[in-house]
Amino acid sequence: PKETISGDFYWVREAEGLTFIALADCTGHGVPGAMMSMLGISLLNDIVLNKKIYDVDKILNQLNREVIESLMQSTADNDNTEGGMDIAVCCIDKKNNLLHISGASQPVYIVENGVLKCIDGDILSIGLQIRGVMNTFSKTTLNLSTISTIYLSSDGIKDQFGGEKNKKYSSSSFEELLS
């Protein structure tokens, strides 16, 4: 996070030999973003540690339901939401040598066999339902033996202005930096 009170957060937990890593960019800045961050961290802890949901796509599906319920965004006529987040969740399964990835409008960058690849998340954010229909998230599974590095990032770096022409850093510049 750029600021102490922020809408960006990272989360790391271990459960039953699995390592879970998440990075989220919540709606809002300052205190509203920080409140969404606190809600997201609390819900992720409950989903993984108490409910023992370990599939990354199911974690995001449950997180989506609980954010909508917590913020009372589930009324039939409410397609616009006030609170939500873009988030990527990874599960590192060292025993089976696998990396599971699921994202809600948040990519995960990996270096596999020396090549940078972008694993895009699904296009919908957490806290959203369209015409009362809950969105569902997909999962990508990769073999860890070919992966040397995993990068998670919010849009905070890509959206920074600067340089000689005071332009946005951009996704392509960010990917070039990672390469």
Side-chain angles (χ1 to χ4, degrees):
K2 180 181 172 189
E3 305 292 338
T4 303
I5 297 179
S6 171
D8 289 358
F9 72 87
Y10 58 90
W11 174 85
V12 180
R13 294 292 180 271
E14 289 196 11
E16 296 188 29
L18 303 170
T19 302
F20 296 90
I21 303 167
L23 181 118
D25 181 1
C26 300
T27 55
H29 298 279
V31 174
M35 295 300 291
M36 279 303 302
S37 292
M38 289 172 44
L39 177 63
I41 291 167
S42 177
L43 291 174
L44 285 169
N45 283 332
D46 183 56
I47 291 165
V48 172
L49 302 176
N50 297 332
K51 293 182 173 130
K52 300 189 183 307
I53 297 173
Y54 299 143
D55 290 327
V56 291
D57 54 329
K58 291 177 182 170
I59 291 169
L60 289 185
N61 290 334
Q62 185 68 27
L63 180 63
N64 189 46
R65 278 191 294 278
E66 292 190 28
V67 165
I68 289 169
E69 183 180 299
S70 295
L71 300 177
M72 295 183 275
Q73 297 181 151
S74 60
T75 58
D77 59 346
N78 182 15
D79 288 341
N80 298 319
T81 60
E82 295 295 321
M85 67 186 76
D86 298 340
I87 184 171
V89 178
C90 298
C91 174
I92 299 171
D93 180 352
K94 291 180 188 173
K95 180 181 175 188
N96 295 306
N97 211 29
L98 296 173
L99 171 66
H100 305 284
I101 301 168
S102 189
S105 288
Q106 190 79 302
V108 173
Y109 297 95
I110 61 166
V111 177
E112 187 173 28
N113 295 320
V115 176
L116 179 71
K117 294 182 180 181
C118 178
I119 310 297
D120 287 319
D122 294 305
I123 60 171
L124 295 172
S125 297
I126 295 294
L128 206 91
Q129 58 180 337
I130 306 298
R131 292 182 231 6
V133 177
M134 198 74 67
N135 45 344
T136 57
F137 297 94
S138 60
K139 174 172 75 172
T140 300
T141 299
L142 303 168
N143 189 319
L144 269 175
S145 64
T146 61
I147 297 171
S148 61
T149 310
I150 304 165
Y151 295 101
L152 297 159
S153 173
S154 71
D155 59 6
I157 293 174
K158 299 176 267 190
D159 287 352
Q160 293 297 310
F161 285 91
E164 293 174 13
K165 297 181 181 177
N166 199 33
K167 288 187 166 185
K168 271 190 180 182
Y169 191 66
S170 79
S171 294
S172 59
S173 296
F174 181 63
E175 289 173 15
E176 187 179 317
L177 172 70
L178 295 179
S179 292

